[in-house]
Amino acid sequence: MPCLVPGLAPALLALCLAPAASAEAPSAVLQIVASADGRAGLRACDCPGDPSANVALRAHRFAAARATKEPVLIVDGGNWSPERGAPLESELNDLMLEVLPALHYDAVGVGDLEAARGPEFLIRAAQALPLVCANLRGLPEVGTAIPAYRLWEAGDLTVAVTGYLDPLLYYEHEVALTRSPESLLVVDPAEALAPLLEDLATRADLVVILAHAPDASIAGHLEGLLTAKIAVVSGHPGEGARNATRLGPALQLFPGTEAREIAVAHVAPGPEGLEAVQQRAWDLKLGGKVDRRLEAVIAAFESEHGVTP
């Protein structure tokens, strides 16, 4: 039975995760921490007062998660850069590429906002962040900079992280319709993922897919491709974080919008596939401890550019 009690002490958490004596112990346990849709938001809420910087809250939570004994995989589903045409768009792009590396993500998806900025931006971003996307085509430099998957290991556990961008989201941007396909092309996700997932099934204990697509579209994109060894992260959320659910034989995680609600799931193999044996959401809108260096960087940016928290 899943244990949904937040804030457990390490000793109690270990008891919560331990199987009954008569059950076979899971071969691996992994904590997946997932954010998405940050859109270069500077503060964790639009509330009065002086709310904390979003990245500063995330950084502290991520560091605390990594301090546990359990293997921790931290990912982002994409759209971490600002809206196109937003005030201070160029400056916010530079800021995100300065501060997001300090969060030490294991893998970061490519959203439609990042792809719409073109191959040069993607190549630059890949120098700062561990981007991953299976269905980008175009300039050879893009494929070199952004791999189709990344392998992550902790002890005897091997996890492959891949991702994809919904072509319909990308081609909603006018600039994408006029861009040469030799420069950047987003191809059918199933076409790109089918051979990749078949290969990764023999090389990884678990596979995490960063699906930058509306929730309603993900099942169709991945039809016939999912197995009991796969966890899917919803990378283009339309609502707040919620509990993980089954997507066929796979497990699907749901972080919230604007990277303000982080999905956390402790997963282990079960009789029907991966199970979330404990899960919760970190609601950054409620505040908490922060990374002081990143808080100072965001405050300095706001002061320099006249941004009111």
Side-chain angles (χ1 to χ4, degrees):
M1 176 181 297
C3 176
L4 300 176
V5 182
L8 288 176
L12 292 177
L13 176 60
L15 289 174
C16 177
L17 294 177
S22 60
E24 183 180 349
S27 59
V29 174
L30 171 70
Q31 184 180 174
I32 302 175
V33 178
S35 61
D37 194 49
R39 299 177 186 261
L42 299 182
R43 295 289 162 179
C45 74
D46 302 316
C47 44
D50 185 20
S52 299
N54 183 299
V55 292
L57 287 163
R58 269 190 275 171
H60 186 274
R61 292 288 189 122
F62 292 175
R66 292 198 186 280
T68 64
K69 295 181 179 180
E70 190 177 24
V72 179
L73 180 76
I74 301 180
V75 297
D76 185 88
N79 273 9
W80 41 266
S81 63
E83 293 280 0
R84 288 181 52 77
L88 301 173
E89 178 182 358
S90 177
E91 292 83 356
L92 285 167
N93 277 329
D94 292 342
L95 178 66
M96 289 300 105
L97 293 180
E98 175 187 352
V99 299
L100 288 179
L103 275 63
H104 302 293
Y105 280 102
D106 296 298
V108 174
V110 173
D112 57 286
L113 293 177
E114 291 79 54
R117 294 192 160 89
E120 292 78 12
F121 177 79
L122 290 175
I123 292 168
R124 177 185 168 214
Q127 295 173 350
L129 298 169
L131 300 185
V132 62
C133 190
N135 66 326
L136 293 182
R137 303 291 185 268
L139 293 177
E141 293 85 352
V142 173
T144 301
I146 305 176
Y149 69 94
R150 293 178 180 272
L151 287 179
W152 179 88
E153 296 187 359
D156 295 331
L157 181 67
T158 299
V159 180
V161 185
T162 185
Y164 75 89
L165 166 60
D166 184 347
L168 293 181
L169 290 177
Y170 173 62
Y171 290 108
E172 286 179 355
H173 295 270
E174 185 176 353
V175 67
L177 297 174
T178 59
R179 179 173 289 138
S180 165
E182 287 76 24
S183 171
L184 187 66
L185 180 68
V186 180
V187 302
D188 178 67
E191 175 186 314
L193 287 170
L196 176 62
L197 293 175
E198 183 178 359
D199 175 54
L200 293 178
T202 66
R203 302 169 56 194
D205 301 299
L206 305 174
V207 176
V208 176
I209 301 175
L210 307 180
H212 191 84
D215 289 345
S217 302
I218 292 175
H221 293 154
L222 301 178
E223 184 177 3
L225 301 178
L226 297 174
T227 71
K229 295 169 57 175
I230 291 177
V232 178
V233 173
S234 181
H236 189 74
E239 57 183 285
R242 57 195 191 276
N243 277 352
T245 62
R246 301 225 67 79
L247 182 61
L251 187 70
Q252 185 170 5
L253 280 64
F254 300 93
T257 57
E258 300 180 80
R260 291 176 171 179
E261 296 175 351
I262 312 300
V264 182
H266 302 254
V267 303
E272 298 181 1
L274 290 179
E275 295 179 356
V277 295
Q278 186 200 20
Q279 56 184 312
R280 61 188 183 279
W282 293 333
D283 189 345
L284 302 187
K285 300 187 297 298
L286 300 179
K289 294 183 179 180
V290 300
D291 181 301
R292 295 187 181 277
R293 185 186 72 82
L294 290 178
E295 185 77 28
V297 170
I298 298 301
F301 178 91
E302 292 171 330
S303 176
E304 178 183 356
H305 296 286
V307 178
T308 302

